[in-house]
Amino acid sequence: MTLTILYQDEFIVAIHKPAGLLVHRSMIDRHETQFAMQMLRDQIGQHVFPVHRLDRPTSGVLVFALSADIARLLGEQFATNTVAKTYFAIVRGHVNAPGLIDYALKEKLDKIADKRANQDKDPQEAQTEFTPIKQFELPFAVSRYPSARYTLVKLHPKTGRKHQLRRHMCHINHPIVGDTTHGDGKHNKFMRDQFSFNGLALTCQQMCITHPMSNEKLAIVNEFDLRMSTLMAQWGWEVPSLDELDLPSINR
């Protein structure tokens, strides 16, 4: 696999991370052999340093630094929530208006990787803005309703908690399609059986950072997720251009 490079200079490189690809080696997935970090290192011929994470089933913009010092500077931006992130997701149900989810989340710890971590931390504040883009109604009785409803939503996480978007959308009863932990099993199965959609309908579309050397604002944008656009095309909708999706336009 050759990774798609979205942006590169002498300090930073950003890629499109395909769904299903781990960012780096993990104790949790010891049998995996492909990782974005090692693949990118081999592809560009130099070491890369991760500065944030994307969950394995999530696709989209993934940023690496090309030195430890740049990684530290970029890491500070992510730690202080000064990076503007734009995601798109397909969720169950009709989302009728924009809103803000302000719901604290208890840190999710892994039994293996986090076994030495403090197990009794208080919930951490977490905020997510959401905006409905397009609603769909399909003539299938998936659960107790005669039709199945979905919405393409744009998401702006204001904080960076683990699985924040998945947990927040579940909190407002609009779980993300394909989420096997926080989602709706009946709708997930329906998507697999009826539309051959496997995986999570969540993608990081754009990331706006402050360049650590020039101090200029930089917007790194990705093409729309092919899996999600193919799914919605089966529902009769052609995904609009990136401009029509109303992404932040800083230096884009």
Side-chain angles (χ1 to χ4, degrees), residues 73-119:
L73 294 172
L74 285 174
E76 290 172 357
Q77 293 185 41
F78 283 93
T80 55
N81 298 314
T82 56
V83 176
K85 309 167 190 173
T86 302
Y87 288 76
F88 284 92
I90 302 171
V91 302
R92 186 197 67 190
H94 279 176
V95 179
N96 295 312
L100 172 69
I101 305 168
D102 189 353
Y103 179 70
L105 296 171
K106 191 162 181 65
E107 185 175 8
K108 300 203 83 172
L109 300 175
D110 182 81
K111 292 180 181 179
I112 299 174
D114 300 316
K115 62 182 179 180
R116 292 188 177 86
N118 182 358
Q119 304 290 320

Short mmCIF file of all heavy atoms in Angstrom, two decimals, residues 73-119:
data_model
loop_
_atom_site.label_atom_id
_atom_site.label_comp_id
_atom_site.label_asym_id
_atom_site.label_seq_id
_atom_site.Cartn_x
_atom_site.Cartn_y
_atom_site.Cartn_z
N LEU A 73 6.37 20.57 19.64
CA LEU A 73 5.61 21.80 19.40
C LEU A 73 4.19 21.51 18.91
O LEU A 73 3.22 22.12 19.36
CB LEU A 73 6.35 22.68 18.39
CG LEU A 73 7.70 23.24 18.86
CD1 LEU A 73 8.43 23.93 17.71
CD2 LEU A 73 7.50 24.22 20.02
N LEU A 74 4.08 20.56 17.99
CA LEU A 74 2.76 20.20 17.49
C LEU A 74 1.94 19.50 18.59
O LEU A 74 0.74 19.73 18.72
CB LEU A 74 2.87 19.28 16.28
CG LEU A 74 3.29 19.94 14.96
CD1 LEU A 74 3.51 18.88 13.89
CD2 LEU A 74 2.24 20.94 14.49
N GLY A 75 2.61 18.67 19.36
CA GLY A 75 1.92 17.98 20.45
C GLY A 75 1.30 18.94 21.44
O GLY A 75 0.22 18.68 21.99
N GLU A 76 1.95 20.07 21.67
CA GLU A 76 1.40 21.08 22.58
C GLU A 76 0.11 21.67 22.04
O GLU A 76 -0.82 21.95 22.80
CB GLU A 76 2.44 22.19 22.81
CG GLU A 76 3.63 21.75 23.63
CD GLU A 76 4.73 22.80 23.69
OE1 GLU A 76 4.57 23.86 23.03
OE2 GLU A 76 5.74 22.57 24.38
N GLN A 77 0.03 21.82 20.70
CA GLN A 77 -1.20 22.33 20.11
C GLN A 77 -2.35 21.36 20.31
O GLN A 77 -3.47 21.75 20.65
CB GLN A 77 -1.00 22.59 18.61
CG GLN A 77 -0.04 23.72 18.28
CD GLN A 77 0.01 23.99 16.79
OE1 GLN A 77 -1.01 23.98 16.09
NE2 GLN A 77 1.23 24.21 16.28
N PHE A 78 -2.08 20.07 20.13
CA PHE A 78 -3.14 19.08 20.32
C PHE A 78 -3.52 18.98 21.80
O PHE A 78 -4.70 18.84 22.13
CB PHE A 78 -2.68 17.72 19.80
CG PHE A 78 -2.73 17.60 18.30
CD1 PHE A 78 -1.61 17.89 17.53
CD2 PHE A 78 -3.89 17.20 17.66
CE1 PHE A 78 -1.66 17.79 16.14
CE2 PHE A 78 -3.95 17.10 16.27
CZ PHE A 78 -2.83 17.40 15.52
N ALA A 79 -2.53 19.08 22.68
CA ALA A 79 -2.80 18.96 24.11
C ALA A 79 -3.63 20.12 24.63
O ALA A 79 -4.42 19.96 25.58
CB ALA A 79 -1.48 18.86 24.88
N THR A 80 -3.47 21.30 24.03
CA THR A 80 -4.21 22.48 24.49
C THR A 80 -5.46 22.75 23.65
O THR A 80 -6.09 23.80 23.79
CB THR A 80 -3.30 23.72 24.46
OG1 THR A 80 -2.74 23.88 23.14
CG2 THR A 80 -2.16 23.57 25.45
N ASN A 81 -5.81 21.80 22.79
CA ASN A 81 -7.03 21.88 21.97
C ASN A 81 -7.08 23.14 21.10
O ASN A 81 -8.15 23.75 20.91
CB ASN A 81 -8.28 21.83 22.87
CG ASN A 81 -8.37 20.53 23.64
OD1 ASN A 81 -8.18 19.45 23.08
ND2 ASN A 81 -8.65 20.61 24.93
N THR A 82 -5.92 23.53 20.55
CA THR A 82 -5.88 24.67 19.64
C THR A 82 -5.87 24.24 18.17
O THR A 82 -5.75 25.08 17.29
CB THR A 82 -4.66 25.56 19.94
OG1 THR A 82 -3.47 24.77 19.87
CG2 THR A 82 -4.77 26.19 21.31
N VAL A 83 -5.98 22.95 17.93
CA VAL A 83 -6.08 22.42 16.57
C VAL A 83 -7.56 22.30 16.21
O VAL A 83 -8.34 21.72 16.96
CB VAL A 83 -5.40 21.04 16.45
CG1 VAL A 83 -5.61 20.46 15.07
CG2 VAL A 83 -3.92 21.15 16.78
N ALA A 84 -7.96 22.91 15.09
CA ALA A 84 -9.35 22.83 14.65
C ALA A 84 -9.53 21.60 13.76
O ALA A 84 -8.90 21.49 12.71
CB ALA A 84 -9.73 24.10 13.90
N LYS A 85 -10.40 20.69 14.18
CA LYS A 85 -10.62 19.43 13.46
C LYS A 85 -12.04 19.39 12.92
O LYS A 85 -12.99 19.75 13.63
CB LYS A 85 -10.40 18.24 14.39
CG LYS A 85 -9.08 18.27 15.16
CD LYS A 85 -9.08 17.24 16.27
CE LYS A 85 -7.90 17.41 17.19
NZ LYS A 85 -8.00 16.52 18.37
N THR A 86 -12.17 18.94 11.69
CA THR A 86 -13.48 18.77 11.07
C THR A 86 -13.65 17.32 10.66
O THR A 86 -12.84 16.79 9.89
CB THR A 86 -13.64 19.66 9.83
OG1 THR A 86 -13.44 21.03 10.20
CG2 THR A 86 -15.02 19.51 9.22
N TYR A 87 -14.68 16.69 11.18
CA TYR A 87 -15.01 15.31 10.85
C TYR A 87 -16.37 15.27 10.16
O TYR A 87 -17.19 16.18 10.33
CB TYR A 87 -15.11 14.44 12.11
CG TYR A 87 -13.81 14.12 12.80
CD1 TYR A 87 -13.15 15.07 13.58
CD2 TYR A 87 -13.25 12.84 12.73
CE1 TYR A 87 -11.97 14.77 14.24
CE2 TYR A 87 -12.08 12.53 13.39
CZ TYR A 87 -11.44 13.50 14.14
OH TYR A 87 -10.27 13.19 14.80
N PHE A 88 -16.59 14.18 9.41
CA PHE A 88 -17.92 13.88 8.91
C PHE A 88 -18.29 12.48 9.35
O PHE A 88 -17.43 11.59 9.42
CB PHE A 88 -17.98 13.98 7.38
CG PHE A 88 -18.01 15.39 6.88
CD1 PHE A 88 -16.83 16.05 6.55
CD2 PHE A 88 -19.21 16.08 6.75
CE1 PHE A 88 -16.85 17.36 6.10
CE2 PHE A 88 -19.23 17.39 6.31
CZ PHE A 88 -18.05 18.04 5.98
N ALA A 89 -19.57 12.29 9.66
CA ALA A 89 -20.05 10.98 10.10
C ALA A 89 -21.45 10.76 9.57
O ALA A 89 -22.21 11.72 9.35
CB ALA A 89 -20.04 10.88 11.62
N ILE A 90 -21.80 9.51 9.36
CA ILE A 90 -23.18 9.13 9.07
C ILE A 90 -23.74 8.53 10.35
O ILE A 90 -23.17 7.59 10.91
CB ILE A 90 -23.27 8.11 7.93
CG1 ILE A 90 -22.64 8.68 6.65
CG2 ILE A 90 -24.73 7.73 7.66
CD1 ILE A 90 -22.48 7.66 5.53
N VAL A 91 -24.85 9.10 10.83
CA VAL A 91 -25.41 8.67 12.11
C VAL A 91 -26.83 8.16 11.92
O VAL A 91 -27.50 8.48 10.92
CB VAL A 91 -25.40 9.82 13.14
CG1 VAL A 91 -23.98 10.33 13.36
CG2 VAL A 91 -26.31 10.97 12.71
N ARG A 92 -27.28 7.38 12.87
CA ARG A 92 -28.64 6.88 12.85
C ARG A 92 -29.61 8.00 13.20
O ARG A 92 -29.37 8.79 14.10
CB ARG A 92 -28.79 5.75 13.88
CG ARG A 92 -30.14 5.03 13.86
CD ARG A 92 -30.35 4.24 15.13
NE ARG A 92 -30.49 5.13 16.28
CZ ARG A 92 -30.49 4.72 17.55
NH1 ARG A 92 -30.34 3.45 17.84
NH2 ARG A 92 -30.64 5.59 18.54
N GLY A 93 -30.74 8.04 12.50
CA GLY A 93 -31.78 9.01 12.80
C GLY A 93 -31.60 10.34 12.08
O GLY A 93 -30.55 10.60 11.49
N HIS A 94 -32.61 11.17 12.14
CA HIS A 94 -32.57 12.50 11.53
C HIS A 94 -32.13 13.53 12.57
O HIS A 94 -32.80 13.72 13.59
CB HIS A 94 -33.93 12.88 10.97
CG HIS A 94 -34.20 12.28 9.63
ND1 HIS A 94 -35.40 12.42 8.96
CD2 HIS A 94 -33.40 11.54 8.80
CE1 HIS A 94 -35.33 11.80 7.80
NE2 HIS A 94 -34.13 11.25 7.68
N VAL A 95 -31.00 14.16 12.29
CA VAL A 95 -30.53 15.29 13.11
C VAL A 95 -31.09 16.54 12.44
O VAL A 95 -30.77 16.84 11.29
CB VAL A 95 -29.00 15.33 13.16
CG1 VAL A 95 -28.52 16.53 13.98
CG2 VAL A 95 -28.43 14.03 13.72
N ASN A 96 -31.92 17.28 13.16
CA ASN A 96 -32.69 18.35 12.54
C ASN A 96 -32.08 19.74 12.68
O ASN A 96 -32.47 20.65 11.94
CB ASN A 96 -34.11 18.37 13.11
CG ASN A 96 -34.89 17.12 12.75
OD1 ASN A 96 -34.91 16.70 11.59
ND2 ASN A 96 -35.50 16.49 13.74
N ALA A 97 -31.14 19.93 13.58
CA ALA A 97 -30.59 21.27 13.79
C ALA A 97 -29.18 21.16 14.36
O ALA A 97 -28.83 20.16 14.99
CB ALA A 97 -31.48 22.06 14.76
N PRO A 98 -28.36 22.19 14.14
CA PRO A 98 -27.01 22.19 14.74
C PRO A 98 -27.11 22.26 16.26
O PRO A 98 -28.14 22.66 16.83
CB PRO A 98 -26.37 23.47 14.17
CG PRO A 98 -27.23 23.89 13.04
CD PRO A 98 -28.61 23.40 13.33
N GLY A 99 -26.03 21.87 16.91
CA GLY A 99 -26.03 21.93 18.36
C GLY A 99 -24.64 21.72 18.93
O GLY A 99 -23.66 21.51 18.21
N LEU A 100 -24.56 21.81 20.24
CA LEU A 100 -23.31 21.59 20.98
C LEU A 100 -23.56 20.53 22.04
O LEU A 100 -24.49 20.65 22.84
CB LEU A 100 -22.83 22.88 21.65
CG LEU A 100 -21.64 22.73 22.61
CD1 LEU A 100 -20.37 22.38 21.84
CD2 LEU A 100 -21.43 24.00 23.43
N ILE A 101 -22.76 19.48 22.01
CA ILE A 101 -22.80 18.46 23.06
C ILE A 101 -21.75 18.83 24.09
O ILE A 101 -20.56 18.90 23.78
CB ILE A 101 -22.52 17.06 22.49
CG1 ILE A 101 -23.48 16.73 21.35
CG2 ILE A 101 -22.61 16.00 23.59
CD1 ILE A 101 -23.09 15.51 20.55
N ASP A 102 -22.18 19.10 25.30
CA ASP A 102 -21.28 19.43 26.40
C ASP A 102 -21.51 18.38 27.48
O ASP A 102 -22.38 18.51 28.34
CB ASP A 102 -21.58 20.84 26.94
CG ASP A 102 -20.55 21.33 27.95
OD1 ASP A 102 -19.67 20.51 28.33
OD2 ASP A 102 -20.61 22.49 28.36
N TYR A 103 -20.76 17.30 27.39
CA TYR A 103 -20.99 16.13 28.23
C TYR A 103 -19.65 15.53 28.62
O TYR A 103 -18.90 15.05 27.76
CB TYR A 103 -21.85 15.12 27.48
CG TYR A 103 -22.13 13.84 28.24
CD1 TYR A 103 -22.97 13.84 29.35
CD2 TYR A 103 -21.56 12.64 27.84
CE1 TYR A 103 -23.23 12.66 30.03
CE2 TYR A 103 -21.82 11.45 28.51
CZ TYR A 103 -22.65 11.47 29.61
OH TYR A 103 -22.91 10.31 30.29
N ALA A 104 -19.33 15.59 29.91
CA ALA A 104 -18.05 15.09 30.40
C ALA A 104 -17.95 13.58 30.19
O ALA A 104 -18.94 12.85 30.31
CB ALA A 104 -17.88 15.43 31.88
N LEU A 105 -16.74 13.12 29.87
CA LEU A 105 -16.51 11.71 29.58
C LEU A 105 -15.47 11.15 30.54
O LEU A 105 -14.41 11.74 30.73
CB LEU A 105 -16.02 11.54 28.14
CG LEU A 105 -17.00 11.94 27.04
CD1 LEU A 105 -16.32 11.91 25.69
CD2 LEU A 105 -18.23 11.04 27.04
N LYS A 106 -15.79 10.01 31.11
CA LYS A 106 -14.81 9.32 31.94
C LYS A 106 -13.78 8.67 31.03
O LYS A 106 -14.13 8.08 30.01
CB LYS A 106 -15.49 8.27 32.81
CG LYS A 106 -14.57 7.71 33.89
CD LYS A 106 -15.35 7.04 34.98
CE LYS A 106 -14.44 6.48 36.07
NZ LYS A 106 -13.71 7.52 36.80
N GLU A 107 -12.51 8.82 31.37
CA GLU A 107 -11.45 8.30 30.52
C GLU A 107 -11.59 6.79 30.34
O GLU A 107 -11.76 6.05 31.31
CB GLU A 107 -10.08 8.63 31.12
CG GLU A 107 -8.93 8.23 30.22
CD GLU A 107 -7.57 8.66 30.78
OE1 GLU A 107 -7.52 9.14 31.93
OE2 GLU A 107 -6.58 8.51 30.05
N LYS A 108 -11.51 6.34 29.10
CA LYS A 108 -11.61 4.92 28.80
C LYS A 108 -10.21 4.33 28.80
O LYS A 108 -9.35 4.73 28.02
CB LYS A 108 -12.29 4.71 27.45
CG LYS A 108 -13.70 5.28 27.39
CD LYS A 108 -14.54 4.62 26.34
CE LYS A 108 -15.12 3.33 26.88
NZ LYS A 108 -16.11 2.72 25.98
N LEU A 109 -9.99 3.37 29.66
CA LEU A 109 -8.67 2.75 29.80
C LEU A 109 -8.69 1.34 29.24
O LEU A 109 -9.68 0.60 29.38
CB LEU A 109 -8.26 2.71 31.27
CG LEU A 109 -8.16 4.08 31.97
CD1 LEU A 109 -7.87 3.90 33.45
CD2 LEU A 109 -7.10 4.95 31.32
N ASP A 110 -7.60 0.97 28.60
CA ASP A 110 -7.46 -0.39 28.09
C ASP A 110 -6.89 -1.29 29.18
O ASP A 110 -5.98 -0.89 29.91
CB ASP A 110 -6.54 -0.39 26.86
CG ASP A 110 -6.41 -1.78 26.28
OD1 ASP A 110 -7.30 -2.20 25.54
OD2 ASP A 110 -5.40 -2.44 26.59
N LYS A 111 -7.41 -2.49 29.27
CA LYS A 111 -6.97 -3.40 30.34
C LYS A 111 -5.50 -3.76 30.24
O LYS A 111 -4.84 -4.01 31.24
CB LYS A 111 -7.82 -4.68 30.30
CG LYS A 111 -9.27 -4.47 30.68
CD LYS A 111 -10.05 -5.78 30.63
CE LYS A 111 -11.51 -5.57 30.99
NZ LYS A 111 -12.29 -6.84 30.93
N ILE A 112 -4.97 -3.78 29.01
CA ILE A 112 -3.57 -4.15 28.82
C ILE A 112 -2.67 -2.92 28.82
O ILE A 112 -1.77 -2.77 29.65
CB ILE A 112 -3.39 -4.94 27.51
CG1 ILE A 112 -4.22 -6.23 27.55
CG2 ILE A 112 -1.91 -5.26 27.27
CD1 ILE A 112 -4.22 -7.00 26.25
N ALA A 113 -2.94 -1.99 27.88
CA ALA A 113 -2.05 -0.85 27.71
C ALA A 113 -2.09 0.12 28.88
O ALA A 113 -1.10 0.78 29.17
CB ALA A 113 -2.41 -0.11 26.41
N ASP A 114 -3.24 0.20 29.58
CA ASP A 114 -3.39 1.18 30.67
C ASP A 114 -3.51 0.53 32.04
O ASP A 114 -4.09 1.11 32.95
CB ASP A 114 -4.63 2.05 30.41
CG ASP A 114 -4.56 2.80 29.10
OD1 ASP A 114 -3.49 3.36 28.82
OD2 ASP A 114 -5.56 2.85 28.37
N LYS A 115 -2.96 -0.66 32.20
CA LYS A 115 -3.18 -1.37 33.46
C LYS A 115 -2.54 -0.68 34.66
O LYS A 115 -2.93 -0.90 35.80
CB LYS A 115 -2.69 -2.82 33.34
CG LYS A 115 -1.21 -2.98 33.08
CD LYS A 115 -0.86 -4.46 32.94
CE LYS A 115 0.62 -4.69 32.66
NZ LYS A 115 0.93 -6.13 32.52
N ARG A 116 -1.53 0.20 34.42
CA ARG A 116 -0.89 0.91 35.53
C ARG A 116 -1.45 2.32 35.72
O ARG A 116 -1.03 3.05 36.60
CB ARG A 116 0.62 1.00 35.29
CG ARG A 116 1.34 -0.34 35.37
CD ARG A 116 2.84 -0.18 35.31
NE ARG A 116 3.54 -1.44 35.46
CZ ARG A 116 3.82 -2.28 34.48
NH1 ARG A 116 3.44 -1.97 33.23
NH2 ARG A 116 4.45 -3.42 34.70
N ALA A 117 -2.41 2.71 34.89
CA ALA A 117 -2.98 4.06 34.97
C ALA A 117 -3.96 4.16 36.13
O ALA A 117 -4.50 3.15 36.61
CB ALA A 117 -3.67 4.41 33.67
N ASN A 118 -4.19 5.39 36.57
CA ASN A 118 -5.17 5.65 37.63
C ASN A 118 -6.56 5.27 37.14
O ASN A 118 -7.05 5.81 36.15
CB ASN A 118 -5.11 7.13 38.01
CG ASN A 118 -6.08 7.48 39.14
OD1 ASN A 118 -6.81 6.62 39.63
ND2 ASN A 118 -6.06 8.73 39.56
N GLN A 119 -7.21 4.35 37.83
CA GLN A 119 -8.50 3.84 37.38
C GLN A 119 -9.67 4.69 37.88
O GLN A 119 -10.82 4.44 37.51
CB GLN A 119 -8.68 2.40 37.89
CG GLN A 119 -7.58 1.45 37.46
CD GLN A 119 -7.60 1.14 35.98
OE1 GLN A 119 -8.66 0.97 35.38
NE2 GLN A 119 -6.42 1.10 35.35
#
